[in-house]
Amino acid sequence: MTTKVIMPQLGESVVEGTVSKWLKHEGDRIEEYEALLEVSTDKVDTEVPAPAAGVILKIHVHEGETVDAGTLLAEIGEEGDQLQGRQAPTTRSAEGAGNGHQKPEPTTVAQSATTGHITPVVARMASEHELDLSQIAGSGRGGRITKRDVESYLETHDSATTLEAQPDEDDATPAWERPMDGDLFKPTVEYDDSPTQASPAKTAVQTATPKRTFPVEPVPDKSAGELVQLTPMRKAIAEHMVFSKLQTAPHVTTVFEVDLSAVLAHRGANKEAFAKQGVNLTLTAYFAAATVRALQTNPYLNAQWTKDGVFLHYPVHLGMAVAVEGGLIVPVIRNAHDLNLLGMARAVNDVAIRARSKQLKPDEVQGGTFTISNHGVSGSLFATPIINQPQVGILGVGMMEKRVKVINDMLAIRPCCYLSLTFDHRVADGSTGDSFMLTLKEHLENWA
């Protein structure tokens, strides 16, 4: 009897995964819990361990294939064992009853009866580009529309809709809303959620085309360079960044300089004690703890924009941007407001280690209410990170270095760093952002 390797249900809203890499091959021996393959979703890459020790007798799903949760990926056993074989796939209904546990997902875009279940990434793309999914042919099981189907549809319709949507001389669109015209600092995307009255002809174009189209550069001559294929992670990052910066939130950034003398003194006095408890006390833990305090004092930065108003989150679920091979991932420290410095340091260590070893699950990179990006680890002094939607703000932490400061009319050398807050101007104004940063600065400079 062989042991089945099944595509896991990697998160509540994650219904499929892509086999990105097999770490073992047919005929290889593997130990129980040893990493067997890497699975990629639109949220995270993770390793799947072997459920049993033995020989990999058969691999049923090859690299690059996307399959549903519950699909047989491979079989492990011993030479001579009878293979059980891959069963014909079943089609999930819109209620996700295929595995008996999947919760129904809200329908967020127009879809026909034949569309069936759609993944969150397809729903987001359809909503973002204002697409009617009933017009898109699905290539997935049971005619389900996949991300690739939506991308193909957009590529096919881009050239025609771009010409159709060009403004004429009598277009009532303000000058600053037309590319290459008007005031550089006025908005180039609309942030108003409420629809405005439009002419019938213009409405017909807008319902069939995206609000904005962005040029895609053609592939250069391959003889003059090398084309590196995009990974699912890089594609997801690119889509999310464009969505956040160009289509959703007007970004504003404020920068403060912070003296870390008090933090370094406290760390020097407590680092050994933390190490005895198995915790590496890093500067990131201080930034995280101080950020939580600043968010509690300035709740409009721990919020999100909705069409009905600004939703203020009571708990602080802190996202920590972690650089991994091929991209960036943002695991979330949930209920960070309940943690003292020891607990925060332990949580920071945990999410960083598991992110780099591909041990995170998709649910662990969702639900954040604010994000910290410590770009200073690579030597950057300050930066303007892009907001992680649907959050309101993101804190950038620059490299710490010794600087000459004037203190009480005397020159002094102090360890300083720049902190930058990028925030959604729909929710917060400059005074709100500066108040948050001032609170953060005071906590760090007076740490005791």
Side-chain angles (χ1 to χ4, degrees):
M1 176 69 73
T2 64
T3 300
K4 295 181 178 181
V5 180
I6 304 297
M7 174 65 77
Q9 178 81 32
L10 292 171
E12 185 174 332
S13 64
V14 181
V15 296
E16 65 182 16
T18 301
V19 176
S20 54
K21 184 179 182 180
W22 282 100
L23 304 177
K24 296 286 186 176
H25 303 90
E26 289 186 6
D28 292 349
R29 176 164 289 277
I30 192 169
E31 299 300 324
E32 186 176 10
Y33 304 126
E34 185 180 355
L36 175 58
L37 74 154
E38 294 179 1
V39 172
S40 175
T41 71
D42 61 312
K43 296 182 175 67
V44 71
D45 291 345
T46 189
E47 290 183 349
V48 176
V55 175
I56 301 172
L57 300 177
K58 182 67 177 178
I59 290 177
H60 294 285
V61 178
H62 300 289
E63 293 180 359
E65 288 190 49
T66 300
V67 296
D68 294 343
T71 299
L72 177 63
L73 300 177
E75 295 182 64
I76 298 175
E78 298 297 339
E79 296 294 342
D81 284 347
Q82 182 68 36
L83 295 176
Q84 301 178 54
R86 184 174 175 179
Q87 302 297 317
T90 57
T91 304
R92 281 196 306 271
S93 66
E95 291 74 29
N99 57 20
H101 299 288
Q102 182 68 22
K103 295 183 180 180
E105 297 182 22
T107 302
T108 57
V109 293
Q111 52 182 307
S112 69
T114 59
T115 299
H117 176 87
I118 55 173
T119 63
V121 68
V122 169
R124 177 171 62 78
M125 293 174 69
S127 176
E128 174 185 331
H129 295 285
E130 297 184 346
L131 300 178
D132 181 355
L133 291 182
S134 64
Q135 304 300 314
I136 303 177
S139 62
R141 296 192 179 95
R144 190 182 66 191
I145 296 175
T146 67
K147 176 182 175 183
R148 190 169 301 172
D149 295 331
V150 178
E151 290 174 339
S152 298
Y153 179 86
L154 290 174
E155 289 175 2
T156 302
H157 289 71
D158 265 352
S159 57
T161 56
T162 300
L163 282 174
E164 188 178 3
Q166 288 299 317
D168 55 30
E169 295 298 327
D170 298 325
D171 194 347
T173 305
W176 57 82
E177 283 295 322
R178 296 198 293 268
M180 308 303 294
D181 197 3
D183 189 343
L184 176 63
F185 295 100
K186 289 188 178 180
T188 56
V189 291
E190 292 187 16
Y191 300 106
D192 186 3
D193 288 329
S194 59
T196 57
Q197 188 68 27
S199 66
K202 199 167 187 179
T203 302
V205 173
Q206 290 175 340
T207 55
T209 63
K211 288 184 179 179
R212 291 290 184 270
T213 57
F214 302 97
V216 178
E217 293 296 328
V219 177
D221 181 2
K222 293 184 180 181
S223 65
E226 177 185 3
L227 178 65
V228 179
Q229 294 295 329
L230 297 175
T231 64
M233 177 183 289
R234 178 49 57 191
K235 285 184 179 179
I237 291 174
E239 290 171 359
H240 190 68
M241 294 299 97
V242 170
F243 175 73
S244 178
K245 182 82 175 191
L246 300 182
Q247 300 173 357
T248 304
H251 285 48
V252 178
T253 301
T254 183
V255 180
F256 276 55
E257 187 179 44
V258 176
D259 183 342
L260 296 177
S261 298
V263 167
L264 290 181
H266 186 275
R267 180 172 180 261
N270 293 275
K271 186 175 182 179
E272 185 176 347
F274 276 54
K276 290 180 180 179
Q277 301 184 61
V279 176
N280 180 22
L281 181 57
T282 65
L283 291 180
T284 301
Y286 289 92
F287 292 123
T291 296
V292 170
R293 296 184 187 180
L295 289 172
Q296 291 175 317
T297 306
N298 302 271
Y300 274 83
L301 273 302
N302 192 55
Q304 73 181 70
W305 173 270
T306 76
K307 65 179 182 180
D308 299 318
V310 178
F311 187 88
L312 306 179
H313 297 286
Y314 291 147
V316 177
H317 301 316
L318 197 62
M320 304 294 301
V322 179
V324 297
E325 182 180 357
L328 190 74
I329 196 168
V330 187
V332 176
I333 299 175
R334 302 197 181 278
N335 298 310
H337 57 282
D338 289 337
L339 303 176
N340 58 15
L341 184 61
L342 176 63
M344 187 67 76
R346 180 177 283 114
V348 168
N349 292 173
D350 173 63
V351 296
I353 291 172
R354 291 196 296 119
R356 295 188 177 107
S357 60
K358 299 183 179 180
Q359 298 300 313
L360 292 174
K361 295 182 179 179
D363 287 346
E364 295 181 285
V365 296
Q366 299 182 75
T369 60
F370 189 87
T371 295
I372 297 178
S373 177
N374 191 356
H375 55 84
V377 296
S378 59
S380 170
L381 291 179
F382 66 84
T384 56
I386 296 176
I387 299 169
N388 187 10
Q389 293 298 326
Q391 299 167 22
V392 166
I394 181 170
L395 180 74
V397 180
M399 180 183 71
M400 182 186 68
E401 62 178 2
K402 291 183 179 180
R403 296 176 191 149
V404 177
K405 308 296 294 182
V406 178
I407 301 176
N408 297 325
D409 292 332
M410 298 181 64
L411 294 180
I413 298 177
R414 293 288 187 268
C416 299
C417 75
Y418 293 114
L419 302 182
S420 62
L421 171 69
T422 299
F423 58 95
D424 187 338
H425 214 334
R426 296 175 301 174
V427 176
D429 297 319
S431 60
T432 305
D434 288 346
S435 176
F436 168 88
M437 292 296 282
L438 185 59
T439 305
L440 180 63
K441 175 182 172 74
E442 289 175 346
H443 278 304
L444 291 170
E445 292 188 341
N446 297 283
W447 200 283

